[in-house]
Amino acid sequence: MPTITPTGQACGAVVTDVDLTQPLAHDAAATLRAGLDQHHVLVFPRQSLTNADLERFSTYFGDLGTDPWFMPIEGSDYIAEIRRDADETTPLFAEGWHSDWSFLETPPVATCLYGIEIPPVGGDTLFANQHLAYERLPDDLRERVDCLMAHHSTRRIYGKGGMYDPENEKERGRSMQIVQDQETFEYDHPLVRVHEGNGRPALFCTLGYVQGIVGMEPAEAVAFLGELQKLQVADEV
């Protein structure tokens, strides 16, 4: 059975005693899913996976999803290459803290990242515990966010004229191929969502994809979301 060791930080655990190149028994897979529900981030060191291994492993957490903006790698419909060449000068991809594909009606349970070439310095992926962020809110702010709906959209990021529009001058020379959004995905979600796996409330809001608060004037929403994100990514969470 997999051994799950908490990092001692606000979230995260290291998983050992498991070989992801082999199919997992039902109870082992259930242990990993329960570990994700509890710790939010699982790290699997020293695994050497094929594309098929990565896809099989991902299915233990839910159905595989396709990505309308990244060209999949050859031989797979589900795996995209997150790439940046050493001499590349385009802005860092996905540098801002965010929750993947929150603009969908049913956002993904998780994202699986498999590191192949990682720079010796920098390139860290940071995580924040949104259960803890919610719990640390002042009482009056917690009562306020409990009643709000956030408007999630791809327009500002992948839409025409958006951050990753290939016609944007800053995007010239990007090694990672991003397909311009042919359709705008938009959906309203509660600002506070209850996690289906552990039953705990969490903040569900990120500046990149949340582009408004239902019933709130745009300028007020921008200021509110900016202040809220400071609490969401505080060192303590």
Side-chain angles (χ1 to χ4, degrees):
M1 289 291 290
T3 299
I4 300 178
T5 305
T7 62
Q9 304 302 312
C11 60
V14 178
V15 183
T16 54
D17 301 323
V18 63
D19 181 1
L20 300 184
T21 67
Q22 302 298 317
L24 299 183
H26 176 76
D27 56 349
T31 295
L32 294 183
R33 181 58 188 266
L36 182 65
D37 290 342
Q38 179 179 357
H39 301 291
H40 320 307
V41 178
L42 298 180
V43 180
F44 298 81
R46 295 177 293 280
Q47 301 283 340
S48 181
L49 306 181
T50 66
N51 294 340
D53 293 334
L54 180 59
E55 290 187 3
R56 182 185 60 251
F57 164 72
S58 300
T59 62
Y60 297 136
F61 301 92
D63 295 333
L64 298 180
T66 57
D67 194 308
W69 301 283
F70 303 159
M71 292 296 294
I73 63 174
E74 185 176 353
S76 173
D77 293 330
Y78 305 104
I79 300 175
E81 181 184 35
I82 308 300
R83 173 176 174 172
R84 183 176 178 83
D85 290 342
D87 59 352
E88 192 167 327
T89 59
T90 59
L92 292 176
F93 175 73
E95 183 178 17
W97 178 79
H98 61 283
S99 179
D100 285 344
W101 314 150
S102 66
F103 41 75
L104 298 178
E105 180 178 0
T106 304
V109 169
T111 300
C112 293
L113 302 175
Y114 178 52
I116 297 176
E117 294 185 39
I118 301 175
V121 178
D124 295 332
T125 298
L126 305 179
F127 300 88
N129 183 337
Q130 295 307 289
H131 294 304
L132 184 57
Y134 174 77
E135 293 168 1
R136 290 175 57 86
L137 293 179
D139 291 344
D140 57 341
L141 181 54
R142 190 182 309 116
E143 292 179 2
R144 186 181 183 191
V145 299
D146 280 339
C147 304
L148 296 177
M149 297 286 291
H151 181 65
H152 300 244
S153 174
T154 62
R155 190 182 306 276
R156 187 182 300 160
I157 306 299
Y158 296 106
K160 181 69 173 177
M163 182 181 299
Y164 296 123
D165 184 341
E167 296 182 7
N168 186 332
E169 183 175 350
K170 293 182 179 180
E171 286 297 289
R172 294 176 182 173
R174 183 176 293 280
S175 57
M176 177 181 165
Q177 187 173 3
I178 300 176
V179 180
Q180 182 177 319
D181 188 4
Q182 301 300 317
E183 175 184 0
T184 298
F185 289 76
E186 298 183 286
Y187 204 83
D188 294 343
H189 291 292
L191 200 58
V192 178
R193 299 188 67 185
V194 174
H195 191 286
E196 293 181 1
N198 59 36
R200 298 172 59 194
L203 292 172
F204 189 64
C205 174
T206 53
L207 284 181
Y209 293 139
V210 172
Q211 298 175 19
I213 300 293
V214 177
M216 187 179 293
E217 290 297 322
E220 181 186 359
V222 169
F224 176 76
L225 292 168
E227 290 303 312
L228 185 62
Q229 178 148 315
K230 291 179 183 178
L231 303 176
Q232 291 180 270
V233 298
D235 290 343
E236 295 80 9
V237 302

